[in-house]
Amino acid sequence: MQIHRDYPLKAHHTFGFDVKARYYAAPDTPEALHALLADPLYRKLPKLIIGGGSNLLFRADYEGLVIQPRFHAIDIVDEDDDSVTLCADAGVVWDEFVDYCVQHGWGGVENLSGIPGTAGAAPVQNIGAYGVEVKDVIYGVEALRIDSLQPVFFTREACMFGYRDSIFKHTAWKNNIVITRATFKLWKNSQPVTHYGALSAALHDCPTPTLAQVRQAVLAVRRQKLPDPAVAGNAGSFFKNPAVPCAKAHALAAAYPALTLYPANGEEVKVPAAWLIEQCGWKGKRVGQVGVHAPQPLVLVNYGGGTGNDVMQLAADIQQSVAAKFGIALEMEANVVN
Ligand code: EPU
């Protein structure tokens, strides 16, 4: 396996900033990954594990070893009349996995069509869209410890999934494991989840859609709202939808009757961050080489030649104006690397 020095990362993260890694390697087998982690030359270096680089913000060059697992087998490990359990290697392109499942008639991930990234990265931020989160279908996650080189298995409960959150973003695990495989349990006769606003509108003329029709509808909605990273660099939603106390949300709804709120838990309600950002006048606004995507203001964009610091400055300005107007703190969803 080749280990590259001063390697350009522009093509390996979806914001497309001109940054480099001191070292970069893309192991294409689990054995190559193990050997790389065991190599005394790189043992002490900081390490960054990336999938499709679709949720990362680099502020500068990465002064360590970037590892991008490339192994990409999909194996059926169990099957009965109702369900199938599948293992996907970390390097499986997420949307190819979804397509494979849809083509076989296995339901559960079709709403997650078109999300950039890999199967190994999907559990980290518990990817979600159109009423489904990947936690709903994850059976378990296999990983390799960087310190001891020992394998470790996380059951779905041990992953501690939350809204765009998991144990892999926290505690000691964040910098000490490489996810090697994820296991999913999918259903052979599932009922598609079509209640989410934009998706139910897209399927208006199709009351009993097949998995393939749901996938096509999701892809169409995404194309309308979300920028293609090949055209304008972005990391999907840059902020999370904030959860606020019910009383505050209801006061907002009374003041703004068009506002749609979403239940979070018993005591809190989610306010769409896109709406808050739009109300503060940011929708479609461009600042130099970066800006706020007009069809979905939750997405910050690099039009070309922008930097991570440009995006961070824009994000800080947005956070400040939302806090000043609504008293609500917007939390970043994208992962700031350095
Ligand atoms: N809205 C506006 N103005 C706009 C666009 C949206 O006010 O210009 C408001 C509307 O009230 C709309 C609401 O925002 O009803 C929700 O918009 P949308 O359905 O586009 O979803 P979102 O909450 O903004 C979340 C996820 C997306 C995911 C969509 C669909 C987060 C942080 N983001 O966005 O995920 O695709 O739902 O399920 O939860 C991602 O994580 O990268 C991502 C794109």
Side-chain angles (χ1 to χ4, degrees):
M1 176 186 40
Q2 203 176 349
I3 296 164
H4 303 264
R5 206 179 158 141
D6 295 327
Y7 186 78
L9 292 173
K10 188 172 172 146
H12 295 286
H13 73 291
T14 56
F15 257 126
F17 302 132
D18 270 316
V19 287
K20 286 188 187 140
R22 185 140 120 223
Y23 296 100
Y24 167 90
D28 52 12
T29 62
E31 294 72 28
L33 169 68
H34 193 283
L36 176 67
L37 294 175
D39 191 328
L41 273 179
Y42 307 105
R43 199 94 182 105
K44 292 219 170 79
L45 279 179
K47 294 177 188 70
L48 175 70
I49 319 302
I50 66 174
S54 54
N55 202 37
L56 296 179
L57 185 137
F58 290 95
R59 304 185 69 149
D61 292 343
Y62 186 71
E63 299 298 337
L65 169 64
V66 170
I67 301 176
Q68 191 166 34
R70 279 279 163 77
F71 33 100
H72 57 268
I74 300 176
D75 298 310
I76 298 175
V77 292
D78 198 14
E79 186 168 8
D80 60 26
D81 289 347
D82 301 321
S83 69
V84 56
T85 306
L86 296 157
C87 265
D89 279 350
V92 170
V93 172
W94 175 255
D95 194 53
E96 291 177 8
F97 178 69
V98 174
D99 191 38
Y100 177 86
C101 297
V102 167
Q103 285 195 28
H104 284 80
W106 302 327
V109 285
E110 59 282 358
N111 290 40
L112 307 180
S113 290
I115 297 183
T118 57
V124 176
Q125 56 149 343
N126 182 21
I127 58 170
Y130 310 107
V132 171
E133 290 180 322
V134 79
K135 74 169 172 53
D136 303 333
V137 291
I138 286 220
Y139 182 81
V141 173
E142 287 170 49
L144 192 60
R145 284 185 73 127
I146 293 176
D147 54 2
S148 62
L149 299 177
Q150 291 301 309
V152 45
F153 181 78
F154 296 84
T155 61
R156 185 219 302 238
E157 289 68 33
C159 293
M160 298 184 64
F161 289 119
Y163 169 53
R164 293 296 190 277
D165 200 21
S166 74
I167 196 164
F168 309 114
K169 284 175 105 170
H170 296 274
T171 65
W173 295 120
K174 184 175 174 185
N175 297 315
N176 191 26
I177 55 159
V178 184
I179 292 177
T180 48
R181 294 212 293 184
T183 311
F184 303 88
K185 186 165 185 177
L186 302 179
W187 301 99
K188 290 185 174 173
N189 294 300
S190 65
Q191 281 298 316
V193 176
T194 57
H195 61 78
Y196 192 93
L199 182 59
S200 86
L203 288 167
H204 183 257
D205 298 328
C206 190
T208 53
T210 62
L211 298 179
Q213 286 169 323
V214 174
R215 173 167 164 79
Q216 288 314 316
V218 167
L219 291 173
V221 173
R222 289 185 69 91
R223 270 195 298 273
Q224 273 169 18
K225 296 208 170 193
L226 298 169
D228 178 354
V231 177
N234 72 88
S237 298
F238 196 85
F239 301 103
K240 292 183 183 180
N241 287 323
V244 305
C246 291
K248 183 170 181 90
H250 291 135
L252 264 180
Y256 300 91
L259 171 61
T260 316
L261 299 167
Y262 301 86
N265 58 46
E267 282 132 41
E268 291 186 316
V269 173
K270 268 194 214 163
V271 182
W275 181 86
L276 295 167
I277 296 168
E278 180 173 354
Q279 292 297 312
C280 291
W282 288 102
K283 188 176 166 95
K285 205 159 186 173
R286 181 170 176 152
V287 184
Q289 297 312 110
V290 301
V292 181
H293 189 56
Q296 171 44 292
L298 197 45
V299 178
L300 304 189
V301 175
N302 171 23
Y303 296 108
T307 66
N309 285 323
D310 295 338
V311 173
M312 288 299 284
Q313 183 58 55
L314 175 62
D317 292 344
I318 292 171
Q319 283 170 318
Q320 206 171 41
S321 56
V322 168
K325 187 169 167 92
F326 294 105
I328 295 177
L330 285 185
E331 188 191 334
M332 284 177 42
E333 203 229 293
N335 188 9
V336 180
V337 175
N338 46 18

